[in-house]
């Protein structure tokens, strides 16, 4: 790895346990990983292994019970909730299996919204939203509402929204899980080209081994630990 590059995401000995009856269910038992700029990493593991939990912790949506999560070199375990929220808003984008677009807003407005929340002017937010939608092949769909878009188009709008604030980290939980194979392929290609073009780091939970094989690295969760697959 190039020594001038700095990690975007570092998980160090991350522990997460949930209460179960009188005891605890330990889902993460000391998970370690480092993601570098421009890397797309697949997270492939059976249902219930802890993929969503790991993504929520990496995305600062959930707190670990132990260990450290560093985003762009910032340790987060001692941050206040407000600091974590600000870091998440500025540096992390999420894509889910279901698009969660705002139904009453157009594609353009859906991509503008996070930028305006982050303080950009309407004009600037609109310019960037149009540019991103164009990049993702949706120039002719900017005034459509989600219900007027196909599943693949909705998911590409969700991707544009996730990267609207130019995050350094993109986290995706089964982003193509709800799509037919051909559409899944197109949506995946769109995400990969964004990773390559922007140098962000991406962690994608997926059941699709074909797509996982096209990423730079593959991880799995085994007994609560992250293990690199060859
Ligand atoms: P995956 O995404 O790999 O399917 P999850 O991270 O969703 O796995 O869940 C891992 C395990 O943790 C599951 O057994 C699940 O039931 C449990 N779990 C997840 N969230 C909670 C919670 N908030 N409270 C209790 N158990 C949970």
């Amino acid at each position: 790895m190039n020594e001038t590059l700095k990690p975007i995401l570092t998980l160090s000995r991350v522990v997460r346990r949930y209460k179960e009856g009188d005891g605890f269910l330990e889902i993460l038992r000391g998970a370690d990983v480092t993601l570098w700029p421009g890397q797309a990493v697949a997270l492939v593991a059976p249902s219930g292994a802890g993929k969503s939990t790991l993504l929520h912790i990496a995305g600062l949506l959930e707190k670990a019970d132990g260990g450290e999560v560093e985003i762009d070199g910032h340790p987060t375990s001692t941050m206040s909730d407000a600091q974590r929220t600000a870091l998440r808003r500025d540096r992390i984008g999420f894509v889910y299996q279901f698009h969660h677009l705002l139904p009453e807003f157009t594609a353009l407005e859906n991509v503008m919204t996070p930028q305006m929340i982050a303080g950009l002017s309407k004009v600037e937010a609109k310019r960037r939203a149009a540019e991103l939608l164009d990049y993702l092949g949706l120039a002719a769909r900017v005034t459509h509402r989600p219900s007027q878009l196909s599943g693949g188009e909705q998911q590409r709008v969700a991707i544009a929204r996730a990267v609207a604030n130019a995050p350094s980290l993109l986290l995706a939980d089964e982003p193509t899980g709800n799509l037919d194979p051909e559409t899944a392929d197109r949506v995946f290609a769109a995400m990969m080209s964004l990773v390559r073009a922007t140098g962000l780091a991406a962690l994608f939970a997926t059941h699709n081994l074909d797509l996982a094989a096209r990423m730079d690295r593959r991880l799995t969760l085994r007994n609560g630990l992250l293990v690199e697959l060859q």
Side-chain angles (χ1 to χ4, degrees), residues 18 25 27 46-53:
Y18 295 116
L25 185 64
I27 302 300
S47 216
K51 300 182 295 299
S52 299
T53 301

Side-chain angles (χ1 to χ4, degrees), residues 20-105:
E20 193 189 51
D22 292 338
F24 287 98
L25 185 64
E26 204 160 56
I27 302 300
L28 302 175
R29 300 181 169 194
D32 288 307
V33 76
T34 302
L35 259 65
W36 299 91
Q39 269 193 342
V41 180
L43 178 57
V44 189
S47 216
K51 300 182 295 299
S52 299
T53 301
L54 187 96
L55 289 175
H56 289 164
I57 287 175
L60 309 181
L61 288 167
E62 208 174 300
K63 268 191 175 161
D65 297 304
E68 186 59 90
V69 178
E70 284 185 43
I71 307 284
D72 279 339
H74 298 281
T76 61
S77 62
T78 55
M79 280 186 177
S80 66
D81 285 347
Q83 286 173 316
R84 288 161 56 88
T85 300
L87 195 63
R88 181 167 69 240
R89 186 195 62 209
D90 294 343
R91 312 212 185 205
I92 305 174
F94 292 91
V95 181
Y96 299 97
Q97 181 171 359
F98 299 99
H99 57 76
H100 299 302
L101 297 170
L102 298 169
E104 69 278 23
F105 283 11

Side-chain angles (χ1 to χ4, degrees), residues 2 6 27 38 54 168 185 199 221:
N2 182 332
K6 297 204 171 110
I27 302 300
L54 187 96
S168 16
D185 212 76
L221 276 163

Side-chain angles (χ1 to χ4, degrees), residues 161-200:
R161 180 187 53 182
V163 300
N165 286 333
S168 16
L169 178 63
L170 180 64
L171 299 172
D173 200 350
E174 302 276 1
T176 63
N178 194 35
L179 305 172
D180 64 75
E182 201 176 308
T183 309
D185 212 76
R186 288 192 65 186
V187 167
F188 177 74
M191 288 203 297
M192 288 301 284
S193 86
L194 270 173
V195 171
R196 303 291 182 234
T198 59
L200 56 73

Side-chain angles (χ1 to χ4, degrees), residues 211-227:
L211 299 185
R214 287 154 61 188
M215 294 189 228
D216 302 311
R217 289 162 60 194
R218 282 145 294 282
L219 302 172
T220 193
L221 276 163
R222 213 169 275 158
N223 300 323
L225 300 178
L226 277 168
V227 180

